[in-house]
Amino acid sequence: MNTNFFYSKKALTIVKVASFFALLLLLIANINILNSTNFFKRVKNNYYIFSFIENNCIIIITFFLLLKPQKFALIGIISLWYSIVIAFRSSDNMMCIPMFFLTFGTFLVRGLFSKYKKSKISIFICIYLYEILIPLHFGISDFIESTILKIAYSFVIILSYFFISEFHISKVLVDINTVHVLNLANFKGINRCDIDLLEKVLENKKYKEIASELRGNPGTIRNRLNKLYDILNVGDRTGFITRYYGYKIVYE
């Protein structure tokens, strides 16, 4: 998987546009609730109170994502939330399955599964089973119908992912012998001394380890690396490792 794509200007612009439209829709939804003639009757219902609070929480997250598209893992958090809530509220709303796989894909790209892979995949399997089994509280007939549809949706999504990944692999194999280089000289505000810092981050060393090896202050090193992440437009440590893992760092 070419993680560079997910941090390109084009991809980040897409995240911004998607965040803007999501923010707009959520604001319209809230305005619609507030303008409703039955609003004061509605707020007595826990369902509407919960929905209103939920919308505002998502609005805050979406606004942050609009400003910081590099943090696109937030898409996965929002999708996971909606996936779980939709499955609980309705037996015939199939959107919980696409939202679930969007969460999984987002976290996969973001590097969530680089550590404790088995445990995290097990958690996702449990969430998927929850979304399959939760319609039982609506009745056995609804459960059977929704289960068949959810499995069918899952099959289509997985099959689509398979074909896309195979296409991507075929493209990558053509360019497999290419050595990827990150030339820090191309970025204003980065100097030759930063090579050591970034190389140690790629070695997955913690800030305290880096500070100990370079005989520096952990706070100073953390602040410098955060500035470098901003210059490189990768968001944070995880974003840098995900994008530049396997790269040779030079200053030429």
Side-chain angles (χ1 to χ4, degrees):
M1 183 178 290
N2 184 5
T3 54
N4 288 351
F5 166 78
F6 296 98
Y7 294 94
S8 67
K9 288 184 179 179
K10 182 179 179 181
L12 295 179
T13 300
I14 291 172
V15 173
K16 283 185 177 181
V17 171
S19 300
F20 174 77
F21 279 107
L23 189 62
L24 187 63
L25 291 172
L26 287 165
L27 288 171
I28 291 172
N30 268 4
I31 292 171
N32 185 53
I33 293 174
L34 290 171
N35 288 338
S36 172
T37 55
N38 296 320
F39 175 72
F40 292 105
K41 291 181 180 179
R42 284 182 165 188
V43 294
K44 295 178 182 179
N45 187 323
N46 289 334
Y47 171 80
Y48 289 105
I49 294 174
F50 180 79
S51 296
F52 189 73
I53 294 173
E54 176 187 36
N55 274 3
N56 281 285
C57 289
I58 301 300
I59 283 172
I60 293 170
I61 296 174
T62 307
F63 182 73
F64 179 76
L65 189 59
L66 183 64
L67 299 177
K68 291 281 187 179
Q70 298 93 339
K71 305 287 187 179
F72 63 85
L74 290 173
I75 295 173
I77 295 172
I78 296 171
S79 299
L80 181 61
W81 174 255
Y82 273 120
S83 176
I84 293 172
V85 171
I86 289 170
F88 180 77
R89 288 179 180 171
S90 173
S91 63
D92 58 357
N93 194 331
M94 296 297 112
M95 273 303 293
C96 62
I97 295 301
M99 298 294 264
F100 170 82
F101 281 100
L102 176 59
T103 298
F104 186 84
T106 304
F107 287 166
L108 182 66
V109 170
R110 195 66 173 86
L112 178 73
F113 299 101
S114 58
K115 288 184 177 181
Y116 311 111
K117 186 176 182 180
K118 291 182 179 179
S119 299
K120 290 174 181 177
I121 289 178
S122 297
I123 292 172
F124 268 86
I125 290 173
C126 289
I127 294 172
Y128 179 77
L129 290 175
Y130 154 82
E131 296 185 353
I132 294 292
L133 297 175
I134 194 64
L136 271 171
H137 78 276
F138 291 105
I140 191 67
S141 59
D142 286 344
F143 169 71
I144 293 172
E145 183 179 352
S146 69
T147 299
I148 293 171
L149 286 172
K150 286 176 180 177
I151 292 174
Y153 270 62
S154 302
F155 179 75
V156 170
I157 292 170
I158 292 171
L159 196 61
S160 299
Y161 175 78
F162 171 76
F163 285 125
I164 292 170
S165 61
E166 286 298 306
F167 173 77
H168 175 74
I169 289 171
S170 66
K171 291 289 186 181
V172 171
L173 288 176
V174 175
D175 208 25
I176 198 165
N177 293 321
T178 302
V179 176
H180 296 289
V181 176
L182 170 61
N183 186 2
L184 299 181
N186 294 329
F187 299 90
K188 187 178 179 180
I190 299 181
N191 55 58
R192 193 179 298 275
C193 298
D194 293 319
I195 293 178
D196 288 340
L197 281 176
L198 294 174
E199 282 181 342
K200 292 186 185 302
V201 172
L202 287 182
E203 292 171 7
N204 209 24
K205 291 183 177 179
K206 304 299 181 184
Y207 293 122
K208 287 185 179 180
E209 288 184 81
I210 298 173
S212 177
E213 291 182 14
L214 298 180
R215 297 180 181 178
N217 182 279
T220 303
I221 286 176
R222 181 188 292 272
N223 291 336
R224 178 57 183 168
L225 283 170
N226 285 334
K227 186 175 181 180
L228 293 177
Y229 300 147
D230 285 338
I231 295 172
L232 293 170
N233 205 26
V234 293
D236 56 16
R237 172 191 174 89
T238 304
F240 174 71
I241 294 174
T242 304
R243 178 169 181 175
Y244 290 110
Y245 180 77
Y247 272 59
K248 180 181 178 182
I249 303 177
V250 299
Y251 193 95
E252 298 174 352

